[in-house]
Amino acid sequence: MSKNIVVGGQYGDEGKGKIISYLAIHDKPEIIARGGVGPNAGHEVWYKGQRFPMRMLSCGFVYENARILIGAGVSVNPDVFLKEVEMTKTHGRAGIDFRATVITQEHIEADASSENSARIGTTKTGCGPAVSGRAARTAKTIADYVAEPGHEDFKKYVTDVPKEVNSAKSVLVEGSQGFMLSVYYGTYPFCTSKDTSASSIAADVGLGPTKINDVIMVIKAYTTRVGSGHLPEELSVDEAKQLGFQEYGTVTGRPRRTSKNLHWDNLRLAAMINGATQIALTKLDVKFPAVAGVKKYSELTSEAKSFIEIIEKEVGIPVTLIGTGKDAEDIVDRRK
Ligand code: IMP
Ligand code: MG
């Protein structure tokens, strides 16, 4: 029985969705709660052959007995939320904290038209302007939203997330974005609009630091980033394609920028500030195709095993979960 947080250790798109969906199915937490910025996130889940691109709701929806909540610190686009509730058929168990910030059409338009947003290469989902609005104390909360005429049907989704997560025995908290996109610790000003480290994610859902058991930092076997800002050892699209590393954004469809390597100084800093206790490594099968679908550590190739050993040595944290394919179940789980 525990309260664990999953965060991204790179520039987002590390494969948090896949790790969350695996942990949801196998650890069966009572509640899965989403922290982080908002619908700028694109978490992809492949479950039973179907792809679910998630932006608001937690990827933990795949565990059908869990409450699926969105914390007070998250900016919410009610239309995106409703669409995802529909897609995942989670009407009876999805909820949003009444204090969460509402993203309005004005926020989206401001994000799409501002020169600074273009310079940063934002996702144009209105997240930054909503966070600004909250800081300026002009933004609406979900409580304000449901009090407006026409939004009565939305009331059933409104809840008190801190109360729920603090009275539950087991909670899985889903962070979004990645450490290098933190507004404090990332590549400022080329970053997102909030801190993305575990402490902030915990606060987003109303869990105090003493309540957290494990912080699982997700890293991909290579590095990608979308939008502007420095990416060490960046490859050309052709080089990335040749290696099989070229990816496209879940939210924006933009080609992701790629770097072949892991950047140890960044990962050590991410591990330190997140207080990470475990690493989940994803897309090992993209780096080493021979490990595709492997579920036992002993069946990994020696090349793949030495890569994992290097990560453990360089970052100083055990690699406990290893992704070997896109399905939620394609995982080597060394926690067993
Ligand atoms: P914003 O969060 O939409 O304001 O975008 C700011 C920067 O963060 C841009 O470079 C985005 O591409 C990046 N970003 C925001 N959310 C994510 C994410 O979930 N994955 C990857 N990059 C992201
Ligand atoms: Mg993503």
Side-chain angles (χ1 to χ4, degrees), residues 171-244:
V171 180
L172 179 61
V173 184
E174 173 174 333
S176 73
Q177 286 75 41
F179 180 77
M180 297 300 294
L181 294 176
S182 163
V183 74
Y184 300 137
Y185 303 112
T187 51
Y188 185 84
F190 302 102
C191 59
T192 192
S193 48
K194 284 178 62 189
D195 177 38
T196 53
S197 68
S199 309
S200 291
I201 303 292
D204 286 340
V205 304
L207 281 172
T210 55
K211 303 289 186 246
I212 305 304
N213 299 92
D214 274 300
V215 174
I216 302 161
M217 183 170 90
V218 184
I219 64 175
K220 187 155 65 180
Y222 47 95
T223 310
T224 61
R225 115 168 261 179
V226 278
S228 318
H230 180 58
L231 177 63
E233 304 169 281
E234 185 167 355
L235 301 172
S236 69
V237 170
D238 279 346
E239 287 168 318
K241 277 188 181 159
Q242 244 160 38
L243 290 164

Side-chain angles (χ1 to χ4, degrees), residues 11-13 40-42 120-123 177 181 191-192 226-227 254:
Y11 300 85
D13 308 313
N40 50 351
I120 295 162
T122 72
T123 58
Q177 286 75 41
L181 294 176
C191 59
T192 192
V226 278
R254 290 179 290 183

Side-chain angles (χ1 to χ4, degrees), residues 14-31:
E14 298 93 352
K16 290 179 291 296
K18 183 213 164 70
I19 298 299
I20 291 279
S21 53
Y22 174 84
L23 291 172
I25 295 163
H26 288 268
D27 295 0
K28 305 189 186 325
E30 266 171 66
I31 295 177

